[in-house]
Amino acid sequence: MTHWGLAHLSLQHSTCNTQNSELQYSGPQSQSTRQLTRVDRWLAQLDHARLTVSNALPQRRPAPQPHTAPTPQALNHKPHASTIQDIAAYLRIDHTGEVCAQALYLGQASQARTPHLTEHLLYSAEEEEAHLQWCAQRLNELGDKPSRFNLIWYALSFTLGAAIARLGDRISLGFIHATEHQVKRHLQEHIDAIGTHDPHSTAILAEMLEEENQHAAEALKRGGVEFPTWIQSIMWTTSRLMAQVSRRY
């Protein structure tokens, strides 16, 4: 099956009186577009999920590099042997988080009520895709692999995103804000834990943290509701459980 990719899914503004947006495929060689059917869109989503969990997505952006010049000993981008296993575990958690984040955004985009929100969600999903590629690449450099449960995390996140979007755009945006809050907590913990042991991994996580901050702020700016503390506490507990599974497997 040909990979259509997020970059090839664009919005078609319908002239009919409807709130639902239609997606089009515009391949790099194509001079025209055609309206996709519902089956086309679901096949594209399934293909994207396959490529995500198999780490076969095309590289969108180069991974961030440390700001300071590496020493000769650090040129192979590997930290000290006593910390490499822990660092790989942190990156595996963060990779799983990005698998979930982009699946969540795509699920929400599939049910968004306005074309502008659909476009925003697809753009955000592309940024999350770049994040997971950085983590996957770094894991490979450290001699480790992503979580074996990523297909399950992807499916659950996409389904949850689609269900949340059915509650309305303000709730959907609020869920993004709350989710990004959990992601930021994980990233900051991992940055603090890794510190100077591995500047290359720290640079990747720091760039991810900055962009997750932007996603959270943009969700509120677009009208998202801020979830109460008790809901965020439940979300944090759930994310910690997922992190523990991903850390080991």
Side-chain angles (χ1 to χ4, degrees), residues 59-71:
Q59 188 74 29
R60 295 195 177 277
R61 294 158 56 193
Q65 301 295 319
H67 294 300
T68 57
T71 63

Side-chain angles (χ1 to χ4, degrees), residues 20-113:
N20 293 326
S21 61
E22 296 293 336
L23 296 177
Q24 290 185 327
Y25 168 63
S26 54
Q29 306 298 326
S30 177
Q31 297 299 321
S32 61
T33 60
R34 69 174 181 85
Q35 182 174 326
L36 295 179
T37 66
R38 186 182 297 272
V39 173
D40 287 332
R41 293 196 295 270
W42 282 109
L43 287 175
Q45 295 287 5
L46 289 172
D47 191 44
H48 185 79
R50 175 185 67 83
L51 292 169
T52 297
V53 299
S54 62
N55 294 316
L57 289 168
Q59 188 74 29
R60 295 195 177 277
R61 294 158 56 193
Q65 301 295 319
H67 294 300
T68 57
T71 63
Q73 293 78 11
L75 287 176
N76 62 354
H77 299 309
K78 282 196 175 184
H80 192 272
S82 64
T83 64
I84 190 171
Q85 189 172 14
D86 287 337
I87 292 172
Y90 292 137
L91 287 168
R92 185 161 49 252
I93 292 170
D94 296 323
H95 180 270
T96 292
E98 299 305 323
V99 168
C100 294
Q102 68 148 341
L104 181 69
Y105 282 135
L106 292 175
Q108 290 174 285
S110 73
Q111 301 297 321
R113 299 185 180 184

Side-chain angles (χ1 to χ4, degrees), residues 82-199:
S82 64
T83 64
I84 190 171
Q85 189 172 14
D86 287 337
I87 292 172
Y90 292 137
L91 287 168
R92 185 161 49 252
I93 292 170
D94 296 323
H95 180 270
T96 292
E98 299 305 323
V99 168
C100 294
Q102 68 148 341
L104 181 69
Y105 282 135
L106 292 175
Q108 290 174 285
S110 73
Q111 301 297 321
R113 299 185 180 184
T114 60
H116 290 300
L117 180 57
T118 304
E119 186 174 23
H120 169 67
L121 288 166
L122 291 176
Y123 176 79
S124 298
E126 283 193 3
E127 290 197 332
E128 303 294 357
E129 182 181 307
H131 295 175
L132 74 87
Q133 290 171 334
W134 298 344
C135 290
Q137 178 182 337
R138 187 67 187 132
L139 275 170
N140 183 63
E141 291 168 352
L142 296 175
D144 216 310
K145 297 180 180 180
S147 170
R148 295 196 293 269
F149 288 90
N150 277 342
L151 178 59
I152 296 175
W153 302 141
Y154 189 103
L156 291 175
S157 297
F158 186 95
T159 303
L160 177 60
I164 291 293
R166 301 281 291 182
L167 300 177
D169 287 352
R170 294 186 70 234
I171 298 296
S172 186
L173 287 165
F175 191 77
I176 289 175
H177 175 263
T179 300
E180 294 292 9
H181 182 64
Q182 318 308 323
V183 173
K184 290 189 298 179
R185 290 177 67 179
H186 281 291
L187 287 172
Q188 191 61 63
E189 284 185 0
H190 299 169
I191 290 171
D192 293 341
I194 296 173
T196 59
H197 291 295
D198 182 7

